[in-house]
Amino acid sequence: MTADLLAPLDLAFWNIESDRHPMHLGALGVFSAHSPTAGAHAADLLAARAAAVPGLRMRIRDVWQPLAFGGAARETDPDFDPLNHVRLHAPTADFHAVAGRLMERPLERGRPPWEAHVLPGEDGVSFAVLFKFHHALADGLRALKLAAGVMDPLDLPERAPRSIEPPRPMLALPDVRRVPELVRGALSDVGRALDIGASVALSALGVSSSSALKSTPTGTRSIAGVDLDIDDVHRVRKAVGGTVNDVLIAVVAGALRRWLEERGDGTDGVAPRALIPVSKRRPRAASPQGNRLSGYLIRLPVDNPDPLARLDRVRTAMVRNKDAGPNRGAGAVALLADHVPALGHRLGGPLVGQAARLWFDILVTSVPLPGLGLRLGGDPLTAVYPLAPLAPGQSLAVAISTYRNQVHYGLVADASAVPDLDVLARAVTDEVDSLIAVCDQ
């Protein structure tokens, strides 16, 4: 069996988890079905193919050994059985409702932490697959690669082989000749951690949280999906400038305003802090490196009634964040995980999880998807709704993907705190229509 230690941020995700705050991310894929039995066929294929994907055989176990005391490692599960992870459900008319209930359930920690739930459609012409991956097993990009491994094979040109990085050693002792170098590196790490910590602290000073997006955790989950035409997004971007991501974030701000107004809640002074994750994974890495994330923190201008002014404020904030870099601001707090010993993550995980509400109010993340069409059992994937985990004390998270000329918003909420998630979903579409109307004037 092979094993490698979890990266610091993976270890943090593993220890933050609780029954009411499972740390798995997800994706709900919807497929066109060639027959009413396509869902059952898809479940059989997923179970058969999962055994051939090495990453899906990896479980996580605790490590109580020198230099890794209190840590955890991935290792191949010798008893791996795909049938423990792939489940076929009864036909349903509402994929999102069923997926929301399934997202409530934590993954079993004693086996490889992932699941695939196949949901046949009552209409007989569609089915959905909900993939769940623990954040310690995979970030969004890695989860995509694992899921793609059980899809129908694509006819792609062969790539030249790349060297494979060896796994992080579990018990390697330092060479005494390298002690001065290790000491200098440790001091450098401490200095960098202090610099990041100071930046995080300064960013949080004088910042009040928005009560609109806070909740007492109940462990319940609801999800909703929204589809937009990417051409509409480009229409807005070309008219006012900025990036596609700026427009998509501004749409979230406008949708929140519409949602709060329909609820009868005030929007004066409401500018929730949004954490925008930024990947620091090395490009074209040959092997998984674990989660390498920082983030940008921006104020969503929910209090501004002008759609174009909201977009301009988002664009300005994102430019400022990019100029400062991902090592600055409260969004860089994830980088501190690299400077905490394994035992510190184990003992302090729950406390760190509760502290998330001090730094941001809502997560808004983008998940890259391939431009090529994916299939399962010959049936085409028509939509992918990414689903992010909820931080403790927060009631809403937004994930966004672009797939084959469509933008898909995946909204995840605490079902008790946000019983009207459908209203927010409708507000996303209304906000895009409003932006287009203003730009066409």
Side-chain angles (χ1 to χ4, degrees):
M1 292 188 297
T2 60
D4 67 300
L5 291 174
L6 294 190
L9 190 54
D10 294 336
L11 185 59
F13 287 136
W14 189 244
N15 287 300
I16 286 172
E17 183 171 64
S18 67
D19 287 343
R20 290 193 172 186
H21 288 97
M23 289 304 298
H24 54 253
L25 47 85
L28 181 66
V30 179
F31 296 79
S32 292
H34 68 277
S35 76
T37 62
H41 179 54
D44 291 339
L45 284 176
L46 291 174
R49 293 172 177 175
V53 180
L56 297 179
R57 304 176 66 95
M58 304 300 285
R59 67 183 179 186
I60 297 175
R61 66 173 180 85
D62 294 335
V63 174
W64 299 102
Q65 296 168 337
L67 299 184
F69 192 77
R74 298 184 192 89
E75 66 176 10
T76 302
D77 182 357
D79 301 317
F80 174 70
D81 183 351
L83 296 180
N84 290 330
H85 301 266
V86 179
R87 287 144 198 185
L88 177 64
H89 294 259
T92 178
D94 191 338
F95 297 139
H96 288 92
V98 177
R101 293 192 292 272
L102 293 171
M103 285 294 289
E104 295 177 5
R105 306 176 188 174
L107 294 165
E108 190 167 330
R109 292 168 72 92
R111 59 175 58 145
W114 68 273
E115 292 174 352
H117 297 270
V118 181
L119 314 176
E122 284 186 353
D123 55 14
V125 297
S126 65
F127 67 91
V129 179
L130 172 66
F131 286 101
K132 294 167 57 177
F133 295 95
H134 198 287
H135 221 323
L137 180 69
D139 60 7
L141 182 59
R142 175 66 175 159
L144 172 63
K145 291 180 178 179
L146 291 174
V150 291
M151 297 288 110
D152 292 353
L154 296 172
D155 294 326
L156 298 175
E158 292 187 5
R159 286 184 174 181
R162 296 199 301 268
S163 59
I164 303 298
E165 298 178 7
R168 286 176 290 276
M170 293 185 58
L171 296 174
L173 296 174
D175 185 335
V176 294
R177 293 170 296 183
R178 295 186 59 231
V179 168
E181 176 189 342
L182 293 171
V183 170
R184 286 194 299 271
L187 291 176
S188 176
D189 282 351
V190 170
R192 185 164 175 264
L194 290 174
D195 184 51
I196 294 171
S199 180
V200 168
L202 288 172
S203 296
L205 286 177
V207 173
S208 59
S209 298
S210 169
S211 60
L213 298 174
K214 299 298 183 183
S215 68
T216 300
T218 66
T220 59
R221 292 291 181 271
S222 61
I223 70 172
V226 185
D227 305 319
L228 304 178
D229 192 322
I230 189 64
D231 289 339
D232 289 338
V233 177
H234 282 300
R235 228 167 121 189
V236 175
R237 179 190 60 81
K238 291 176 181 178
V240 300
T243 68
V244 166
N245 204 40
D246 294 340
V247 176
L248 298 178
I249 295 170
V251 166
V252 174
L256 288 173
R257 179 181 176 86
R258 293 169 181 273
W259 172 59
L260 292 174
E261 287 178 336
E262 188 156 341
R263 275 184 154 200
D265 296 340
T267 58
D268 290 344
V270 175
R273 298 160 299 177
L275 178 64
I276 316 295
V278 176
S279 175
K280 291 177 68 66
R281 182 192 293 273
R282 293 202 307 272
R284 301 181 66 84
S287 63
Q289 307 166 61
N291 281 284
R292 293 288 301 155
L293 294 173
S294 181
Y296 298 140
L297 195 75
I298 72 169
R299 284 282 191 172
L300 295 180
V302 173
D303 54 346
N304 195 311
D306 183 345
L308 293 183
R310 287 195 294 268
L311 177 51
D312 183 65
R313 283 173 57 179
V314 167
R315 183 173 60 241
T316 300
M318 288 299 289
V319 169
R320 185 168 57 246
N321 273 301
K322 292 171 184 176
D323 287 344
N327 293 341
R328 289 288 180 177
V333 68
L335 297 177
L336 293 176
D338 291 342
H339 307 278
V340 177
L343 189 59
H345 282 296
R346 182 173 295 275
L347 298 177
L351 181 61
V352 171
Q354 293 297 328
R357 70 178 74 189
L358 300 177
W359 289 305
F360 64 97
D361 303 307
I362 182 173
L363 178 73
V364 182
T365 183
S366 296
V367 181
L369 293 178
L372 298 172
L374 298 175
R375 291 176 177 270
L376 181 56
D379 295 314
L381 177 66
T382 59
V384 185
Y385 304 96
L387 306 170
L390 282 182
Q394 296 179 344
S395 59
L396 181 66
V398 179
I400 310 167
S401 68
T402 302
Y403 176 71
R404 295 181 69 81
N405 299 319
Q406 291 287 309
V407 177
H408 304 291
Y409 280 77
L411 311 179
V412 179
D414 184 295
S416 296
V418 185
D420 54 349
L421 190 60
D422 59 320
V423 176
L424 178 59
R426 187 172 64 250
V428 171
T429 302
D430 292 343
E431 180 64 13
V432 174
D433 292 341
S434 176
L435 279 167
I436 291 173
V438 172
C439 290
D440 286 346
Q441 289 178 356

